[in-house]
Amino acid sequence: RPASDLGTRTAIFTGLNAWPALRINEWMASNQGSVTDPADGGADDWLELFNPTANTADLTGWRLSDTNPSPTVFVFPAGYSLSAGVHLVAWCDDETAQSAAPDSLHLPCKLSANGETLTLSAPDGTVIDTVTFGTQVADVSQGRIPDGSPAIDFLEVPSAGTANSAAID
């Protein structure tokens, strides 16, 4: 029969975005030694991801990007996941050979103490979280209080891999 007899079909997506609302939860862009990288003892920059959802998130194909001085995009390889309520520290030390899934992650970039933008995207490119920070203070981290919330402040004590501390008064 002719194509005109088949009629028009319309598909409407009525679901919700299936990507978990992971968060860039804390970062330190001017680490002078208050937190050391367990792989080599270095005083490296770092950021922390947090999963505030009730389910484990497979990070395969997710992307982390920064803007300084030119964009670096890191795509998570297989082997990394983030369980519900758990924090994952990513060392921003440009030493990716030190990565060892599932617990040790080293990114191909360093953070700028002068400020920049960090973006976490799902495998299909959907932006899940973005933080823009300004000038950083040596050995002081900045992050969300409480974990995963929209409120961001400088933290009294860096808490890489654990719940964020109180804001600096």
Side-chain angles (χ1 to χ4, degrees), residues 17-20 61-63 119-130:
N17 185 338
W19 299 115
W62 282 67
R63 294 170 179 83
T119 302
L120 178 65
S121 303
D124 69 354
T126 301
V127 173
I128 303 300
D129 194 26
T130 299

Side-chain angles (χ1 to χ4, degrees), residues 40-160:
D40 62 11
D44 300 319
D45 298 341
W46 53 271
L47 63 84
E48 173 192 85
L49 299 179
F50 176 65
N51 181 356
T53 74
N55 299 305
T56 296
D58 179 0
L59 296 177
T60 304
W62 282 67
R63 294 170 179 83
L64 263 172
S65 61
D66 74 341
T67 58
N68 188 55
S70 59
T72 299
V73 177
F74 172 78
V75 179
F76 281 85
Y80 289 94
S81 63
L82 195 51
S83 298
V86 170
H87 305 83
L88 174 65
V89 176
W91 296 96
C92 304
D93 58 4
D94 206 17
E95 297 177 317
T96 57
Q98 292 178 350
S99 290
D103 300 320
S104 179
L105 180 61
H106 295 260
L107 303 180
C109 63
K110 296 183 180 186
L111 300 180
S112 172
N114 294 322
E116 64 179 304
T117 297
L118 303 172
T119 302
L120 178 65
S121 303
D124 69 354
T126 301
V127 173
I128 303 300
D129 194 26
T130 299
V131 294
T132 299
F133 60 88
T135 303
Q136 300 294 286
V137 178
D139 285 330
V140 175
S141 67
Q142 195 171 12
R144 298 175 187 274
I145 299 177
D147 288 340
S149 77
I152 294 174
D153 210 332
F154 288 98
L155 304 180
E156 197 172 89
V157 177
S159 56

